[in-house]
Amino acid sequence: GESVGLHLPTLSVQEGDNSIINCAYSNSASDYFIWYKQESGKGPQFIIDIRSNMDKRQGQRVTVLLNKTVKHLSLQIAATQPGDSAVYFCAENIEGSNYQLIWGAGTKLIIKP
Amino acid sequence: DVKVTQSSRYLVKRTGEKVFLECVQDMDHENMFWYRQDPGLGLRLIYFSYDVKMKEKGDIPEGYSVSREKKERFSLILESASTNQTSMYLCASTGQTEAFFGQGTRLTVV
């Protein structure tokens, strides 16, 4: 039978430029959203989170935007550096689910020198 | 510094062996999770536990079991390892906010 490969979405960005990684979620009852960064050979690490009563949150060089109308989440990384190369995952928590997160498939960010 | 520790980074086991993957967290978290991660499939939840001796099936529990005898420790058990269980296994724990992950165990079943 035919096997179907699943390819990770990839974003390629010039060093120093801003990166925008997008994520769509499906559940209107999701009340908490998190972005994780996973470097090669390591477990995911927390970057930034946002609750559903907010539409924007800023950290150090990162900003998360939440658009509940279209169920869209984005992560913006300012002045992308080589150390930002990783796979980025968004995760959503459905209210009342005991923090059983629902994970996106991930986006691989590649930094061009 | 908060920590989730998985007992092994790399394991190679034979088909049919019983395999134990151990995870310990030092944050007094109630919730602990086991995921497997395969290329292009993201993180898939195997089992989770929200209290000592409590366990719930995740999305792909077949072929796995878990044990939570103490709050800080959550074990994943492969009763009879098969080659399709070759994967990266990630343990995580949560309190009221984000999940903290271990470094992962890359298991190869031959």
Side-chain angles (χ1 to χ4, degrees):
Chain A
E2 185 179 64
S3 65
V4 178
L6 292 173
H7 299 286
L8 202 60
T10 300
L11 176 66
S12 190
V13 174
Q14 201 74 38
E15 183 178 348
D17 286 353
N18 297 336
S19 301
I20 300 176
I21 301 170
N22 295 304
C23 184
Y25 66 95
S26 56
N27 200 311
S28 301
S30 295
D31 64 347
Y32 178 61
F33 304 87
I34 316 171
W35 280 100
Y36 284 87
K37 173 185 180 183
Q38 187 176 23
E39 296 173 279
S40 182
K42 297 183 178 180
Q45 285 186 292
F46 170 85
I47 304 173
I48 192 168
D49 59 1
I50 189 167
R51 297 209 173 266
S52 58
N53 61 353
M54 303 170 69
D55 53 23
K56 181 178 179 178
R57 190 157 189 231
Q58 287 185 288
Q60 189 178 13
R61 271 200 318 118
V62 294
T63 301
V64 56
L65 298 177
L66 176 62
N67 185 330
K68 294 181 286 293
T69 304
V70 296
K71 297 191 186 69
H72 184 267
L73 191 68
S74 69
L75 176 72
Q76 300 179 5
I77 305 173
T80 312
Q81 303 169 357
D84 295 328
S85 290
V87 176
Y88 290 82
F89 293 95
C90 63
E92 62 183 295
N93 173 71
I94 297 173
E95 190 175 2
S97 71
N98 219 24
Y99 292 93
Q100 188 187 156
L101 298 173
I102 299 173
W103 293 83
T107 297
K108 186 173 184 177
L109 179 63
I110 296 172
I111 313 304
K112 296 183 287 188
Chain B
D1 206 16
V2 297
K3 197 174 283 187
V4 178
T5 304
Q6 293 181 229
S7 52
S8 304
R9 288 296 302 276
Y10 301 95
L11 276 178
V12 180
K13 297 291 182 180
R14 295 192 181 279
T15 301
E17 275 193 80
K18 190 169 185 176
V19 182
F20 292 86
L21 302 184
E22 306 287 348
C23 176
V24 178
Q25 51 97 1
D26 64 2
M27 295 164 282
D28 202 36
H29 284 165
E30 282 80 23
N31 306 315
M32 295 188 75
F33 304 81
W34 273 106
Y35 294 92
R36 64 177 283 177
Q37 186 177 31
D38 301 288
L41 294 178
L43 278 76
R44 293 184 292 168
L45 182 64
I46 305 171
Y47 266 97
F48 68 103
S49 168
Y50 53 87
D51 202 351
V52 175
K53 297 193 185 294
M54 305 299 288
K55 60 184 179 184
E56 293 284 344
K57 292 180 180 179
D59 300 319
I60 50 164
E62 295 79 19
Y64 303 94
S65 62
V66 289
S67 173
R68 183 108 182 259
E69 294 297 317
K70 294 183 178 181
K71 190 176 186 180
E72 67 270 20
R73 186 179 296 270
F74 192 35
S75 304
L76 180 69
I77 303 153
L78 287 67
E79 295 290 343
S80 178
S82 63
T83 54
N84 63 13
Q85 292 179 307
T86 291
S87 187
M88 168 71 91
Y89 289 87
L90 289 162
C91 173
S93 72
T94 71
Q96 296 299 311
T97 54
E98 78 270 19
F100 294 87
F101 282 85
Q103 289 285 71
T105 298
R106 186 163 292 283
L107 172 67
T108 303
V109 183
V110 298

